[in-house]
Amino acid sequence: VKFMLPNNLNIYLHDTNEKHLFKRTVRAFSHGCVRVAEPRKLAEWVLAGDTAWTLDRMRKAMKAETPELVKLSEHIPVLLVYHTAAVDERGVVRSYKDVYEYDAELATLLARGFGS
C-alpha cells in the first residue's frame, strides 16, 4: 500500500515487508519515505467516508496484482515533523541522532537571533 502526498520531494507513506524494522531503535532506513506500521488501519481511516470503498473491497484491492489508484474527494493535511530532541512521557528530554544533519543549520539560525 502506498499513500501518495502532494510534494516535490517524492515523499510518500507506504507499507513494508520489513515489519521487524519497527522494533528497532534506529529506523532511518528509508530515502525520505515513511513506512506505515498499520497501513490497513490507515487506509480504513482515510476511506471511511467513501461509501464506494467497503472493507471487503479495500482488502481485495490491497491483495490485487495490479495497483489501483484511489483519488480522495477531500484533501487530508499531512504534517511530517523532524525532531532531534523530544520530551518523553516522564518529562525527560531525550536527544536523537541528527540523521539528516539539520541541527547545524538550525544552530546557525538560532545564533542570529529572532530579530534578524
Side-chain angles (χ1 to χ4, degrees):
V1 178
K2 184 176 179 180
F3 301 88
M4 302 300 295
L5 309 172
N7 67 86
N8 60 355
L9 301 173
N10 268 342
I11 296 174
Y12 54 88
L13 313 178
H14 65 87
D15 191 4
T16 181
N17 292 329
E18 306 292 333
K19 302 284 187 193
H20 66 279
L21 295 178
F22 288 112
K23 294 178 181 167
R24 290 192 173 180
T25 304
V26 177
R27 293 179 28 196
F29 302 104
S30 180
H31 297 284
C33 296
V34 180
R35 287 185 173 96
V36 178
E38 298 187 46
R40 179 177 290 166
K41 285 185 180 180
L42 180 57
E44 288 173 6
W45 180 80
V46 166
L47 296 173
D50 190 335
T51 57
W53 281 93
T54 63
L55 288 177
D56 187 52
R57 180 179 177 198
M58 196 180 314
R59 289 182 181 130
K60 285 179 182 173
M62 287 180 175
K63 292 180 182 178
E65 291 290 322
T66 307
E68 185 169 352
L69 179 64
V70 179
K71 293 197 177 200
L72 303 179
S73 58
E74 288 188 41
H75 177 79
I76 299 173
V78 175
L79 179 63
L80 300 177
V81 181
Y82 175 76
H83 293 285
T84 56
V87 178
D88 70 14
E89 60 279 349
R90 295 180 309 214
V92 177
V93 175
R94 303 281 181 193
S95 60
Y96 305 96
K97 183 177 178 183
D98 181 17
V99 296
Y100 297 113
E101 300 178 354
Y102 291 159
D103 282 354
E105 180 183 355
L106 178 61
T108 299
L109 292 171
L110 290 172
R112 288 185 195 158
F114 294 103
S116 57

